């Protein structure tokens, strides 16, 4: 035992030396220079210049050299060589290098006894989940390949209902936003479903992984949370500290919780009903051209897009989809997961980190699962071509693939050709490569190519296109044509057009602004009227992209905001970025090309910012010259300026897109290469910055508490004298006047604005039946203060159980009744009808809930009106629910509106007349109360 203990420090020292040697060797390979070996405290990104892909290569070499297996989750927290050494020291020694084969041994599921079907009549995603969860709960829906775990439709529904119960218990109501900052895993799916089942709106966020970028993550997330007005943030325990910093600086974010903390209650018995027009997703754009914008997507939008994409691709429940795409991005969330949820095909998942670490895992998962569908941005296919060795492909079979969707960023014809050539011997059909086009504003997809057609690449005259915008086919002898891949044809039910700057449609093969419309299109950006107005051109939406049409095919050529106009030529930046990326010494995919105003020349200066790991000044000059030459060869003129910068200087979005606008701003502000702050300093600054917002939050909370105390103090000061007056005053009219005076004092002294409309509709001098919706215990006080009318409230018998309540209410003429929908109903109706010399006040819902919505009406009020021949006056109340919610005695500030509708005369004294009165009354109230009609929902049942 002593020998083993003594050998531990030596083993750690040996492992440390191995890690340092491997890091130095890889740094030499990537920078082309020899330097001093790094210390163990060297940061992988800041000191060694290792980007995400280089880190993955480094981890693989360390595993092989040290004979250990390192988990992806653990590696995500590594920032320095010492962090990696600690991780290696804790890992179990492996007998051989970790295998790339993913386990196929998942829990057995019950065999289907019927042909899989699709919920074609579903109107919402909630309907879809309930349909699958009830029809075949044991069928496997998702395979989490790294965890060797299966998720069935039944377990997903159960987990979602338990989380929905937790959200309701936490005070969330229908329509409120819930942010999901979760990695790929069971908790993500249950949280998303639970949010929908609770009637709330999911807002996906990407979990911050690298502490070196904590400041950028924080700014983006804070903007999103503030714009969405998220009440609650669901995250993993490891991210709770980051989430608490967000909470401290985000007004309205009340709570941070893990999925496990929200799933402690029994499942919700019934989900909150959803309308097709309700928001089912707030998808925030990547922010490549500015702050992220919240794209509002309804159930109707998402289902229309999923159905159209499925029809274009020939999807069936027999398909299998393998994906590593992140679930905070629309391609992974909607295209992969929600598509599989609707069509009922199996979804096998890897995490994005697992793919980046070893791209071969994706291809082997396709083979093992016999996947028919997969998807990735262009860089994913390129990574497979460049990073997977031939020795890793032994036995690989990709012949099962029907569609390898390629989208979310510009599709490179060179990548298409290279991938097809590289993997043809492994069964990959060139026709399986499927370039597609879409955008968040169209849910995700807008155009798909015909099935089994394969990629279509247009060869056009480069110079003519840049000078005139005409995409004319290049001659066969043209040595340098511009290659533009087709993104297919508009999805069924959707339309596109290409227009000039005045929205005039252009002829074929003329570049212009791409606009679209269809059932997948968003209604706009959340709380951004100016940006929404810019998005819509009549009933057409502006994609922000440039494109031309040839036949019915769409050819996307670039972003409008990124287009560089120089000396009368239109220069698409992404093409130049690809050209510069090929220069020796430039980091591939880390180049930004943009235009900046030239005050002297009256045109734009062309600026190229390229990352390089090279630090030698002479070598940098050589790279700069080579970039100038590459640009000259591509467009016939050199760039105005080429800046060679350090790794991680060019800003990118969470999905890896170049943020050209941010790069241009940093260039113009001369902050491109300002050294980044250390992670601990970023965290400290964020914590300090949260002090002032935290104090403001505490001040608001204290003010709310004081208001609550003041309101209840006011109530208990006024209640005793009012009770005494009601008991002593001799006539009903005087007693009503005292009660109305107290109600108005409560409203006025509490500072509650009370807006009353339609009093001219209130008949005077004859008895009526006043029917109002019920939102809160405040409703009776509000009606007394708002309406100059005396009469009898009809209240549930339970209020007569207490002496002080019973005696005072009886003196005010309140009629205590059992609920009308029981055996005593007819007796109570006849009794009240005989008292028709007075007016009645009814709350026909009988009760109220925390959740907004007009509940079903009991028939009693309308039977009394029909039998007694009394007019019904509908009254709509708004605002009291938010002031005093069901299940809470905490008073909040608010504005109350009371709207009196024209009276409705009964057309008889029988049951049909009462039914007609009820329907007319509901129609009047539901249009004015500001809440949905809950009787309009018909939750789906298993068939």
């Amino acid at each position: 035992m002593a020998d083993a203990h003594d050998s531990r420090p030596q083993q750690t020292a040996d492992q440390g030396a191995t890690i340092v040697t491997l890091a130095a060797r890889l740094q030499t390979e990537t920078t082309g220079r020899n330097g001093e070996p790094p210390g163990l405290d060297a940061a992988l990104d800041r000191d060694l210049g290792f980007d995400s892909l280089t880190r993955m290569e480094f981890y693989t070499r360390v595993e092989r050299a040290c004979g250990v297996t390192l988990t992806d989750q653990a590696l995500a927290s590594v920032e320095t060589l010492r962090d990696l050494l600690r991780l290696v020291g804790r890992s179990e020694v492996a007998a051989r290098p970790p295998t790339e084969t993913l386990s196929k041994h998942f829990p057995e599921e019950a065999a289907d006894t019927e042909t899989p079907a699709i919920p074609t009549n579903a109107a919402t995603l909630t309907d879809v989940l309930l349909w699958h969860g009830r029809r075949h709960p044991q069928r496997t829906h998702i395979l989490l390949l790294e965890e060797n775990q299966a998720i069935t439709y039944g377990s997903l529904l159960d987990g979602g209902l338990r989380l929905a119960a937790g959200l309701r218990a936490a005070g969330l109501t229908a329509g409120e936003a819930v942010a999901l900052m979760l990695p790929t895993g069971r908790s993500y799916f249950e949280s998303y479903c639970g949010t929908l089942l609770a009637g709330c709106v999911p807002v996906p966020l990407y979990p911050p992984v690298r502490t070196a970028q904590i400041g950028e993550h924080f700014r983006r997330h804070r903007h999103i949370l503030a714009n969405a007005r998220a009440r609650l943030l669901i995250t993993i325990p490891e991210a709770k500290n980051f989430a608490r910093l967000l909470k401290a600086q985000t007004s309205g974010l009340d709570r941070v919780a893990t999925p496990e903390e929200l799933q402690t209650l029994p499942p919700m018995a019934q989900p909150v009903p959803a309308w097709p027009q309700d928001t089912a997703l707030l998808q925030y754009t990547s922010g490549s051209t500015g702050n992220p914008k919240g794209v509002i997507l309804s159930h109707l939008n998402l289902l229309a897009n999923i159905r159209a994409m499925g029809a274009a691709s020939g999807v069936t429940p027999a398909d299998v989809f393998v994906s590593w795409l992140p679930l905070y991005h629309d391609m992974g969330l909607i295209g992969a997961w929600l598509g599989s949820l609707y069509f009922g095909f199996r979804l096998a998942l890897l995490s994005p980190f697992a793919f980046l670490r070893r791209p071969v895992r994706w291809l082997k998962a396709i083979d093992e699962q016999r996947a028919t569908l997969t998807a990735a941005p262009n860089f994913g296919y390129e990574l497979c071509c460049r990073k997977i060795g031939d020795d890793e492909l032994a036995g690989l079979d990709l012949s099962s693939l029907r569609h390898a969707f390629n989208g979310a960023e510009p599709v490179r014809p060179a990548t298409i050709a290279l991938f097809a050539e590289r993997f043809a011997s492994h069964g990959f059909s060139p026709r399986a490569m499927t370039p597609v086009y879409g955008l968040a504003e169209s849910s995700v997809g807008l155009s798909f190519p015909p099935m089994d057609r394969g990629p279509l690449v247009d060869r056009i005259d480069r110079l003519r296109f840049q000078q005139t915008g005409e995409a004319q086919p290049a001659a066969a002898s043209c040595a340098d044509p511009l290659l533009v891949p087709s993104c297919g044809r508009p999805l069924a039910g959707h339309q596109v057009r290409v227009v000039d700057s005045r929205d005039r449609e252009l002829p074929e093969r003329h570049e212009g602004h791409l606009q679209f419309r269809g059932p997948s299109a968003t209604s706009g950006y959340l709380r951004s009227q100016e940006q929404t107005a810019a998005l819509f051109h009549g009933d057409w939406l502006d994609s922000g992209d440039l494109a031309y049409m040839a036949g019915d095919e769409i050819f996307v050529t670039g972003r409008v905001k990124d287009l560089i106009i120089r000396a009368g030529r239109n220069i698409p930046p992404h093409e130049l970025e690809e050209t510069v990326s090929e220069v020796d010494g430039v980091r591939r995919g880390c180049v930004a090309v943009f235009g900046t105003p030239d005050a002297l020349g009256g045109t734009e200066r062309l600026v190229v910012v390229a990352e390089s790991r090279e630090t030698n000044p002479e070598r940098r000059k050589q790279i700069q010259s080579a970039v100038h030459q590459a640009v000259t060869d591509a467009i016939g003129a050199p760039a105005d300026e080429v800046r060679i910068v350090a790794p991680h200087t060019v800003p990118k979005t969470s999905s890896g897109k170049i943020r050209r606008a941010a790069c241009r701003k940093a260039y113009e502000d001369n902050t491109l290469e300002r050294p980044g702050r250390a992670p601990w300093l970023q965290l400290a600054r964020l914590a300090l910055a949260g002090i002032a917002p935290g104090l403001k939050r505490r001040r608001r909370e204290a003010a709310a508490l004081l208001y609550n105390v003041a309101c209840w103090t006011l109530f208990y000061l006024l209640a005793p004298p009012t009770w005494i007056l009601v008991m002593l005053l001799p006539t009903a009219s005087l007693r009503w006047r005292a009660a109305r005076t107290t109600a108005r004092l409560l409203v006025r002294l509490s500072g509650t604005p009370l807006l009353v409309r339609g009093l001219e509709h209130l008949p005077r001098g004859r008895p009526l039946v006043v029917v109002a919706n019920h939102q809160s215990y405040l409703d009776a006080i509000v009606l007394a203060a708002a309406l100059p009318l005396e009469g009898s409230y009809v209240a549930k018998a339970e209020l007569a159980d207490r002496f002080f309540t019973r005696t005072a209410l009886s003196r005010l003429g309140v009629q205590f009744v059992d609920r009308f929908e029981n055996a005593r109903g007819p007796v109570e109706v006849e009794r009240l009808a005989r008292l028709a010399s007075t007016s009645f006040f009814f709350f026909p819902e009988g009760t109220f809930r925390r959740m907004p919505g007009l509940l079903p009406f009991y028939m009693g009020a309308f039977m009394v009106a029909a039998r007694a021949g009394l007019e019904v006056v509908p009254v709509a109340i708004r605002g009291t629910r938010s002031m005093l919610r069901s299940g809470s005695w905490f008073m909040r500030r608010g504005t109350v509106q009371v709207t009196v509708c024209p009276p409705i005369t009964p057309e008889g004294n029988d049951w049909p007349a009462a039914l007609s009165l009820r329907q007319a009354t509901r129609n009047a109230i539901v249009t004015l109360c500001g809440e949905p009609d809950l009787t309009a929902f018909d939750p789906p049942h298993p068939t």
Side-chain angles (χ1 to χ4, degrees), residues 173-478:
T173 58
E176 291 187 307
V178 176
L180 311 179
M181 194 169 70
L182 297 163
T184 299
R186 177 184 288 272
S187 292
Y188 183 96
F189 299 108
E190 291 181 349
S191 297
Y192 191 100
C193 291
T195 301
L196 288 182
L197 292 166
C200 298
V201 180
V203 184
L205 303 173
Y206 64 88
V209 175
R210 298 178 59 194
T211 56
Q213 297 177 333
I214 198 77
E216 184 178 345
H217 294 331
F218 185 88
R219 286 186 290 274
R220 172 187 165 88
H221 287 11
R222 182 177 59 188
H223 169 81
I224 292 174
L225 291 169
N227 181 256
R229 296 181 185 171
R231 287 272 316 281
L232 187 143
L233 171 61
I234 305 177
T235 191
I236 53 177
E238 294 83 353
K240 261 199 161 183
N241 288 335
F242 176 80
R244 290 190 183 102
L245 287 175
L246 284 170
K247 179 175 179 291
Q249 296 191 42
T250 307
S251 175
L253 183 60
D254 296 333
R255 183 180 173 187
V256 173
T258 65
E260 294 75 19
E261 291 169 346
L262 294 170
Q263 291 179 309
T264 58
L265 298 175
M268 178 184 283
Q270 285 293 334
V272 175
W275 286 99
Q277 293 80 11
D278 287 347
T279 303
L281 171 65
L282 274 178
Q283 177 66 52
Y284 278 81
T285 60
S286 60
S288 58
T289 58
N291 279 331
K293 301 184 288 290
V295 180
I296 302 169
L297 296 173
S298 67
H299 292 271
L300 181 66
N301 295 148
L302 294 175
L303 285 178
N305 203 240
I306 290 166
R307 285 164 173 151
M309 290 190 298
S313 305
V315 168
T316 73
D319 278 304
V320 177
F321 199 126
V322 167
S323 175
W324 55 265
L325 298 169
L327 294 170
Y328 54 77
H329 192 270
D330 49 15
M331 196 173 181
L333 173 63
I334 306 170
W337 175 42
L338 295 181
S340 72
L341 178 64
Y342 177 79
F343 286 104
F345 56 75
R346 185 167 297 187
L347 176 64
L349 288 177
L350 291 164
S351 70
F353 190 83
F355 164 72
L356 290 174
R357 190 175 171 211
R358 293 193 180 94
V360 74
R361 289 175 169 177
W362 177 34
L363 303 186
K364 291 203 170 182
I366 291 171
D367 179 3
E368 292 165 6
Q369 300 299 324
R370 304 314 298 153
T372 56
L373 309 171
T374 195
N378 189 85
F379 92 87
Y381 296 100
E382 189 163 315
L383 199 63
C384 289
C385 296
R386 294 191 292 111
K387 288 292 184 180
I388 300 177
D390 291 338
D391 59 327
E392 299 178 272
L393 300 178
L396 181 69
D397 181 7
L398 302 179
S399 61
S400 60
L401 275 179
R402 289 193 301 110
H403 289 292
F405 299 109
N406 187 336
E409 65 183 23
V411 178
R412 297 184 67 231
T415 302
I416 293 175
L418 184 60
F419 191 89
E421 179 184 353
R422 176 79 192 280
F423 297 102
S425 60
H426 298 280
F428 181 77
S429 169
R431 291 188 175 185
M433 181 61 72
T434 310
V436 294
Y437 170 73
L439 63 165
E441 289 80 356
S442 183
S443 296
V444 61
L446 182 57
S447 66
F448 276 48
M451 284 186 285
D452 300 322
R453 199 269 309 278
L456 175 64
V457 178
D458 198 19
R459 297 175 74 257
I460 63 175
D461 186 312
R462 181 189 299 272
L463 184 60
R464 185 171 180 179
F465 179 70
Q466 291 178 350
Q467 291 179 337
T468 68
E470 294 181 39
Q472 294 304 314
S477 59
C478 180

